[in-house]
Amino acid sequence: MRRKLLVSYIMLVICLLSVSTLAFYSKTQELYMDTLAADMEKQGELLIRILQEESPSESGLQDLVRDYGDLLDCRITIIAGDGRVMADSLEDPQRMENHGDREEVKLALEGKTGSSLRESTVQGEQLYYYALPFTDQGENRALRFSVSTSAVKGLGLQYMAVGIVIMAVGVVISIFLYIIFIRHLTEPLQELMQSAQQITDGDYGVTIRNYSEEEYAKVSQAFQHMLRELNRNLQDLRERNLELEAVLNSDINGILALDLSGNVILYNEQVKDLLSISSESLQGKSLYQLVRHDDLYRVAEHAMAKQQFRRVDAEFEQNGSRRIYRIYANPIRPRDSKESIGLLMVIEDITNVIRLENVRKDFVSNVTHELKTPLTSIRGFIDTLKQGAVEDRAVAYRFLDIIEMESDRLYRLIQDILYLSEIENRPGEEEALEEVSVEEIAAQVLEVLDSKISQKNLDIFWEVQQDVKVRCEPDKLKQLLMNLVDNAVKYTEEGSITIRAWKAQGNSMIQVQDTGIGIAKEHLERIFERFYRVDKGRSRKMGGTGLGLSIAKHVVERYGGELQVSSEVGKGSSFTARFPAPVDENKKPSDSK
Amino acid sequence: MNLRIEYREEMKGLQKDIARMGAIIEKALDNVMKAMVSQDEELARQTITMDDDVDAMEASIEKRCIHLLLRQSPAAGELRDVLSILKIITDLERIGDHCEDICEWILKINPPMLPSSVKQLPEIAQKVKEMLKATIDSFVERDAAKAMEVCRWDDAVDELYDQLILDQEKEMREKPEYVHNGVVMISIAKYLERMADHATNICEWILYDVTGRHEIYN
């Protein structure tokens, strides 16, 4: 741009200067000729007056003309009315041809002033002729001056030379001016350009100078405005990105967005966890690169090919454990567009959901089974009684005893189920918690179970410390101990039952240990499940509902503790409940409510 | 700029399919391990049917490779891509076959293996599974260093295998009633060891594809 500007600048200077020089030159030439004509007119009038006064003879005329011609440094010719040359300052008039047909002479002889610029037949160069009329001796005559125009030509050449010099000087000055001017003009532009480049490279901290020129000031203001807007938009975008990231990451499900060729465009941290991906960033990586799972591939490809929502439950391995994931794959369609731009996959860990569903299903079928068994037996005996057994008093009583026992069992079962659902559904609130002495409750439990224990001839060891307390509802703790001790009594034929309670590191511990039949290892982790029985027939015979340990566990967990079991077949079992010890209100009044 | 759009699209599809074939085989091997430990006959039968998928995939990939060779006449690096895929799927298919073979042995075991004697097999199987996973990873990521690494793991598998043979031989000598079990153990271990060799072969072809040199590492 700079060169173009320079060239056009110089062209402009040259054009201007040459036009002005030419105009000046032609004007000067015109002026010169006018001056020449005026001079000649005056000289002519002067000479005519001299001629009229002196009125010389023909030869005297010749001398006079010659003298004045030398004096005025021009050629003077006097022509008679018929065109004959009477005298000439340079030539011999006798030998000169008739000048009557010359333009200026014709005019003069008619009494007008005439002038002409043409080549002389005598001197062979361009001459300027000027003719004046005068009368002498009653005859019209013409006085003619002729001057060489070479002086005018010389003037032209001089003008030309001066013009060229001026032009050269003009060009030099203009280049000089141009450099100053262009620097002044383009420097801000270049600065702006640099700033723009910096902004393009991502440096948004650029400062843009203010310029005094109006146009530049406007541009720089526009630039500053643009930079501010860019900065603000960028800030907005960053914030939106952070928000989006936060939203994505706060979803517990894994989110993975793929573009049309299966590369990741968006993801959250959970995906990496769920799919056990170790690499730092998933951006731009292919699904096939990240995970190796046929079901996942299939659901993604189907959803992409059919452009439809797809869902699949598939088994995955996460940190060595088997999990079931539900994968949703949905094509991403921008608003108002039918073409999808990719695929959104949401991965949900449903392992626990499925486990719970199974537990629920088992519970329902177990409950119905457990309820049906005593009912069937009751109905059977009633039927038998109706059909005549009622007549036999002894048999009838035996049957009624059985019916009573079974309905007791049914009652207990329903009681247990209700109890279980109560402690499951209302965790820990709206109940009167108090600090309960384990010693007191354990004593009550032993009292209730006394008859059962004495039937079996078991030793009871009492190792309960006096000040062990648990913050709970007394009935619940009683239920817990009742279940544990009752179980111990049920499954121990001979030997002893030990009841312990002690304090340990901010915990209250309660332990019930027996020397009974014990529980085999493979059953240990399942005995707290509802209706789980190690030996079904035996448990029923003992009148168990299959819910005792489940209730015990729920009670302990309700008060923030845990229930553990250790057992060896043939040697006995030991159940240990750990409760967080209640805060001593005398010692720490600030902690009390 | 690479103008071979059709070739590249087709190649991408092939690579995806290899990843998928790898996924199926990894799953099959996983099932084999589970079926072995838990004596799950149902799972073993199910795994045997998975081999049909693998065979079908091999046939389809092979066909597409040949089409690619004919239609696109690849040269240099592109030719290596196609050739190595052709070789890799053969080895992958063999691994799939071995999974099937092991499952057939599991169904034949009678009486069931004692859990203690089974212990060495899962160890080998775990190693082989890791090798297979790393092999497919290095194919997908075209990672020569990783492929080289996998080739070295083969020695560990061989060592475990040799140890197992020695142990089984000793046990069979001591307890004649154990011979049937021992034979099964050795057969299964042999298949696992072969799988590791196939994985090494695949890695060699990956190295060939990436570096242009084919060297034998085992």
Side-chain angles (χ1 to χ4, degrees):
Chain A
M1 198 195 87
R2 286 180 128 195
R3 187 179 305 173
K4 268 189 200 162
L5 209 61
L6 182 64
V7 168
S8 54
Y9 200 68
I10 290 172
M11 291 296 282
L12 190 72
V13 166
I14 290 175
C15 277
L16 268 178
L17 282 180
S18 43
V19 164
S20 69
T21 309
L22 271 175
F24 192 59
Y25 169 70
S26 73
K27 199 71 200 167
T28 314
Q29 201 174 21
E30 209 174 287
L31 199 69
Y32 181 80
M33 293 307 260
D34 283 354
T35 319
L36 203 63
D39 278 356
M40 284 180 180
E41 195 179 354
K42 277 181 194 135
Q43 286 167 8
E45 271 167 17
L46 211 62
L47 203 61
I48 288 164
R49 205 168 287 177
I50 292 169
L51 279 175
Q52 279 171 339
E53 268 171 31
E54 288 193 8
S55 184
S57 63
E58 205 130 310
S59 61
L61 191 68
Q62 178 68 27
D63 288 341
L64 192 99
V65 163
R66 200 158 283 190
D67 283 351
Y68 280 101
D70 285 347
L71 204 66
L72 293 175
D73 194 21
C74 66
R75 184 178 162 203
I76 301 169
T77 317
I78 301 202
I79 300 136
D82 55 359
R84 182 181 57 90
V85 177
M86 291 170 70
D88 191 278
S89 62
L90 290 182
E91 301 279 332
D92 180 6
Q94 250 75 51
R95 281 195 272 157
M96 285 171 74
E97 55 188 290
N98 191 306
H99 271 50
D101 58 342
R102 302 292 202 275
E103 207 179 329
E104 71 280 357
V105 176
K106 238 188 232 168
L107 282 167
L109 288 179
E110 282 165 19
K112 291 173 202 155
T113 319
S115 69
S116 166
L117 192 67
R118 70 183 137 75
E119 217 143 285
S120 154
T121 46
V122 186
Q123 277 157 300
E125 62 174 315
Q126 196 170 35
L127 292 175
Y128 182 64
Y129 298 98
Y130 193 84
L132 291 158
F134 73 97
T135 38
D136 193 26
Q137 296 156 6
E139 190 190 21
N140 274 343
R141 289 184 185 165
L143 171 67
R144 194 188 72 166
F145 293 103
S146 49
V147 181
S148 156
T149 53
S150 63
V152 182
K153 260 193 191 148
L155 201 69
L157 280 174
Q158 248 171 343
Y159 263 113
M160 204 90 85
V162 170
I164 286 168
V165 169
I166 288 176
M167 241 184 262
V169 169
V171 166
V172 168
I173 290 174
S174 68
I175 288 176
F176 182 69
L177 280 176
Y178 167 82
I179 289 170
I180 294 172
F181 170 71
I182 209 81
R183 186 167 292 165
H184 192 66
L185 196 76
T186 56
E187 215 159 67
L189 270 182
Q190 238 154 9
E191 271 176 25
L192 283 174
M193 219 155 67
Q194 229 164 20
S195 305
Q197 188 57 45
Q198 264 171 295
I199 294 169
T200 317
D201 292 344
D203 178 7
Y204 293 96
V206 179
T207 45
I208 292 165
R209 204 146 62 87
N210 279 312
Y211 299 99
S212 46
E213 288 86 351
E214 201 192 337
E215 287 80 2
Y216 286 133
K218 271 183 191 162
V219 172
S220 98
Q221 269 164 19
F223 245 88
Q224 282 165 350
H225 183 68
M226 186 184 81
L227 193 60
R228 268 199 305 276
E229 285 293 303
L230 261 178
N231 258 329
R232 225 192 46 218
N233 287 345
L234 199 75
Q235 196 64 30
D236 281 358
L237 267 179
R238 278 206 190 110
E239 272 165 26
R240 287 284 298 280
N241 245 356
L242 279 179
E243 276 168 21
L244 186 68
E245 210 169 289
V247 168
L248 280 180
N249 282 336
S250 54
D251 193 333
I252 53 160
N253 296 325
I255 294 170
L256 196 64
L258 306 173
D259 64 13
L260 287 175
S261 49
N263 297 328
V264 176
I265 47 179
L266 197 74
Y267 66 98
N268 66 357
E269 291 299 312
Q270 279 74 359
V271 158
K272 295 208 284 193
D273 250 17
L274 287 167
L275 300 178
S276 323
I277 299 167
S278 52
S279 43
E280 198 45 50
S281 167
L282 317 185
Q283 206 67 46
K285 289 194 176 160
S286 155
L287 178 67
Y288 295 86
Q289 210 172 334
L290 295 172
V291 235
R292 193 116 347 96
H293 201 286
D294 195 34
D295 291 332
L296 190 67
Y297 293 168
R298 232 173 263 253
V299 72
E301 282 166 17
H302 279 191
M304 203 79 108
K306 291 258 171 2
Q307 287 293 305
Q308 263 174 11
F309 171 73
R310 282 274 184 282
R311 193 186 73 190
V312 75
D313 293 350
E315 202 177 86
F316 280 79
E317 201 183 298
Q318 186 194 22
N319 304 327
S321 70
R322 263 160 220 294
R323 316 289 299 179
I324 295 163
Y325 295 163
R326 178 160 290 172
I327 302 163
Y328 305 87
N330 207 8
I332 305 168
R333 286 196 198 88
R335 215 173 291 166
D336 313 325
S337 166
K338 279 199 152 183
E339 291 288 301
S340 81
I341 56 162
L343 188 71
L344 181 71
M345 302 186 87
V346 177
I347 299 165
E348 184 186 2
D349 187 345
I350 55 164
T351 319
N352 287 333
V353 175
I354 287 193
R355 194 176 290 157
L356 278 177
E357 205 172 312
N358 287 339
V359 167
R360 193 185 55 81
K361 269 188 208 154
D362 287 356
F363 181 71
V364 170
S365 71
N366 278 329
V367 162
T368 37
H369 177 74
E370 295 292 331
L371 290 173
K372 244 168 86 181
T373 321
L375 261 182
T376 315
S377 147
I378 291 168
R379 281 171 65 191
F381 282 111
I382 290 174
D383 212 28
T384 325
L385 282 174
K386 267 184 170 175
Q387 282 174 6
V390 74
E391 303 299 328
D392 187 339
R393 212 177 153 74
V395 175
Y397 265 92
R398 201 160 54 84
F399 282 7
L400 283 174
D401 280 346
I402 296 172
I403 290 171
E404 190 188 14
M405 201 184 75
E406 291 292 346
S407 54
D408 271 356
R409 206 154 79 101
L410 208 53
Y411 178 74
R412 267 203 318 279
L413 183 64
I414 291 168
Q415 204 76 18
D416 275 359
I417 292 170
L418 285 176
Y419 194 77
L420 195 59
S421 81
E422 185 196 357
I423 49 177
E424 261 186 351
N425 291 343
R426 282 197 303 123
E429 75 236 5
E430 340 157 354
E431 55 176 0
L433 294 183
E434 44 188 283
E435 283 180 23
V436 185
S437 162
V438 176
E439 190 187 16
E440 225 171 88
I441 300 288
Q444 288 174 15
V445 168
L446 280 184
E447 220 178 288
V448 174
L449 295 173
D450 190 45
S451 60
K452 268 192 176 177
I453 296 167
S454 51
Q455 276 172 19
K456 280 193 164 175
N457 191 22
L458 295 168
D459 293 330
I460 300 288
F461 293 114
W462 182 260
E463 293 175 18
V464 178
Q465 288 175 10
Q466 284 188 345
D467 53 350
V468 180
K469 287 182 174 170
V470 173
R471 189 172 171 77
C472 66
E473 206 187 38
D475 279 353
K476 301 250 158 67
L477 185 62
K478 194 169 174 183
Q479 180 82 42
L480 162 71
L481 278 171
M482 186 78 94
N483 287 355
L484 291 181
V485 178
D486 188 41
N487 268 355
V489 175
K490 265 192 231 163
Y491 296 106
T492 310
E493 291 309 317
E494 55 182 19
S496 63
I497 294 168
T498 312
I499 301 169
R500 291 192 186 89
W502 71 97
K503 285 182 180 175
Q505 293 166 338
N507 289 318
S508 299
M509 312 292 288
I510 305 169
Q511 190 178 56
V512 178
Q513 191 177 12
D514 63 47
T515 57
I517 55 170
I519 306 158
K521 208 177 151 195
E522 58 261 40
H523 298 295
L524 268 186
E525 42 180 74
R526 300 196 61 190
I527 54 169
F528 295 115
E529 286 176 20
R530 284 171 285 199
F531 299 114
Y532 189 82
R533 290 186 170 98
V534 175
D535 182 338
K536 287 193 175 134
R538 183 178 186 148
S539 162
R540 273 209 195 94
K541 206 177 77 195
M542 303 262 192
T545 57
L547 293 172
L549 282 176
S550 189
I551 290 171
K553 188 175 160 68
H554 273 99
V555 168
V556 177
E557 282 172 359
R558 185 187 180 87
Y559 299 114
E562 69 186 335
L563 181 61
Q564 279 177 336
V565 60
S566 67
S567 182
E568 207 172 318
V569 177
K571 288 195 177 161
S573 317
S574 127
F575 289 86
T576 312
R578 178 188 63 75
F579 290 96
V583 180
D584 194 332
E585 283 179 36
N586 296 329
K587 266 189 197 165
K588 286 180 165 180
S590 59
D591 277 7
S592 69
K593 49 180 180 179
Chain B
M1 198 182 107
N2 196 339
L3 285 169
R4 291 170 66 78
I5 296 164
E6 205 175 321
Y7 168 83
R8 276 189 303 164
E9 280 303 308
E10 190 59 26
M11 190 36 97
K12 237 193 224 163
L14 282 172
Q15 279 164 347
K16 270 184 196 176
D17 271 5
I18 296 228
R20 150 165 300 158
M21 205 169 157
I24 297 176
I25 292 171
E26 267 180 52
K27 175 92 183 159
L29 189 54
D30 220 33
N31 284 351
V32 165
M33 285 168 68
K34 259 202 283 183
M36 210 155 57
V37 176
S38 60
Q39 298 293 313
D40 188 338
E41 297 200 355
E42 181 49 41
L43 191 60
R45 280 198 197 91
Q46 201 187 313
T47 310
I48 288 173
T49 60
M50 281 172 80
D51 191 51
D52 296 342
D53 289 346
V54 175
D55 291 350
M57 287 207 74
E58 191 214 359
S60 127
I61 294 175
E62 194 177 70
K63 199 167 142 194
R64 281 161 60 193
C65 278
I66 291 167
H67 277 198
L68 202 58
L69 283 175
L70 290 175
R71 291 208 186 118
Q72 299 288 331
S73 24
E78 292 177 353
L79 184 61
R80 282 206 306 276
D81 285 345
V82 182
L83 290 183
S84 54
I85 286 178
L86 273 172
K87 299 297 289 186
I88 285 167
I89 51 170
T90 316
D91 281 313
L92 276 178
E93 193 269 333
R94 291 301 301 158
I95 295 178
D97 283 350
H98 289 329
C99 286
E100 185 186 0
D101 294 335
I102 294 175
C103 286
E104 276 163 4
W105 270 111
I106 290 171
L107 293 177
K108 272 187 228 161
I109 297 168
N110 183 36
M113 288 185 279
L114 296 169
S116 63
S117 64
V118 147
K119 227 166 93 188
Q120 274 172 311
L121 281 181
E123 202 184 340
I124 301 179
Q126 184 60 38
K127 261 254 139 44
V128 172
K129 196 190 152 197
E130 279 166 24
M131 269 181 89
L132 186 60
K133 188 179 177 329
T135 302
I136 306 293
D137 281 349
S138 50
F139 173 80
V140 175
E141 311 202 355
R142 300 180 62 81
D143 186 342
K146 199 170 199 170
M148 196 84 98
E149 172 92 28
V150 176
C151 289
R152 271 183 229 122
W153 293 355
D154 186 50
D155 295 341
V157 174
D158 287 347
E159 231 165 78
L160 284 170
Y161 173 70
D162 291 344
Q163 189 56 45
L164 180 130
I165 299 279
L166 285 179
D167 290 353
Q168 294 300 313
E169 196 185 338
K170 195 172 146 227
E171 203 140 349
M172 282 192 277
R173 247 188 250 284
E174 283 166 7
K175 291 181 273 183
E177 73 275 10
Y178 184 79
V179 168
H180 171 75
N181 220 344
V183 170
V184 174
M185 291 280 283
I186 290 172
S187 311
I188 291 177
K190 180 72 203 164
Y191 285 131
L192 288 173
E193 191 268 337
R194 285 301 303 154
M195 282 188 199
D197 289 346
H198 285 301
T200 315
N201 285 348
I202 293 173
C203 287
E204 284 164 13
W205 285 112
I206 294 166
L207 284 171
Y208 166 72
D209 187 10
V210 178
T211 65
R213 279 194 301 275
H214 186 238
E215 285 164 40
I216 306 296
Y217 288 90
N218 71 334

